[in-house]
């Protein structure tokens, strides 16, 4: 079974860095899942089956967190004692929020007018902005000391990811 005291990175044998080889994560995940999958312990005792279920759940949880750029950044900050996504810590720069408000308004206008090309262009712009924030955040999180604005960049990335997902949902809805 797995060592529950390990952090997610150690569980998969990866360095605790934002940037790593996703193929190594995928390979480590598959290997761990074959070792701890509850089906392998179907005929085992109750304690072993329960431990296998808990191990499998932990492996899945860790994999999902490390695959997601937002969750991976948040996890790295949490390992450093920083809860950047705490509900009491929601500040974002006013100019960023103003840009996002304009983006949401553009999205609403495109939905009302059923302008698929405007939505696609808007999503591309948001994804580009998110990629830029992610590059900055990756550089910050891979430093020995975490810069204070890494918290803000994580919140920006989470916000932009949500906007991109909302635009994708609107595109899918118009496509139907």
């Amino acid at each position: 079974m797995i060592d529950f005291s390990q952090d997610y990175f150690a569980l998969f044998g990866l360095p605790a860095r934002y940037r790593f080889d996703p193929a190594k994560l995928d390979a480590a995940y598959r290997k761990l899942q074959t070792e701890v999958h509850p089906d392998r312990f179907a005929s085992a005792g109750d304690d072993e089956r329960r431990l296998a279920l808990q191990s499998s759940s932990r492996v899945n949880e860790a994999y999902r967190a490390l695959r997601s750029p937002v969750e991976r950044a948040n996890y790295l900050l949490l390992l450093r004692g920083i809860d950047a996504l705490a509900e009491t810590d929601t500040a974002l720069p006013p100019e960023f929020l103003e840009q996002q408000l304009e983006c949401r308004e553009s999205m609403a206008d495109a939905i009302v007018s059923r302008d698929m090309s405007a939505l696609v262009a808007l999503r591309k712009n948001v994804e580009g902005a998110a990629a830029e924030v992610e590059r900055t955040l990756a550089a910050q999180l891979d430093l020995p000391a975490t810069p204070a604005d890494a918290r803000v960049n994580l919140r920006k990335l989470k916000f932009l990811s949500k906007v991109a997902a909302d635009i994708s949902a609107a595109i899918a809805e118009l496509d139907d």
Side-chain angles (χ1 to χ4, degrees), residues 99-111:
Q99 290 170 346
Q100 300 319 303
L101 182 59
E102 290 171 8
C103 178
R104 290 276 183 184
E105 289 171 354
S106 296
M107 182 175 92
D109 291 345
I111 291 170

Side-chain angles (χ1 to χ4, degrees), residues 121-143:
L122 191 58
R123 181 177 60 188
K124 184 177 180 181
N125 288 340
V126 170
E127 288 171 344
E132 181 60 34
V133 170
E134 187 176 352
R135 280 189 292 278
T136 301
L137 187 58
Q140 292 173 325
L141 291 173
D142 289 346
L143 292 172

Side-chain angles (χ1 to χ4, degrees), residues 32-105:
L32 275 174
Q33 271 301 7
T34 60
E35 293 172 7
V36 301
H37 197 279
D39 289 350
R40 290 194 61 207
F41 300 88
S43 61
D46 288 344
D47 288 343
E48 255 190 303
R49 284 196 319 265
R50 185 173 36 259
L51 186 56
L53 186 59
Q54 290 170 341
S55 294
S56 181
S57 178
R58 173 78 172 184
V59 168
N60 286 331
E61 173 186 301
Y63 180 73
R64 279 191 303 274
L66 296 185
R67 286 294 296 168
S68 163
V70 171
E71 294 304 316
R72 182 171 62 247
N74 187 51
Y75 186 69
L76 276 167
L77 288 172
L78 287 171
L79 288 176
R80 297 172 186 179
I82 301 168
D83 189 357
L85 298 179
E87 289 185 27
T88 58
D89 190 7
T90 60
L92 284 167
E95 61 277 359
F96 175 81
L97 291 173
E98 191 173 307
Q99 290 170 346
Q100 300 319 303
L101 182 59
E102 290 171 8
C103 178
R104 290 276 183 184
E105 289 171 354

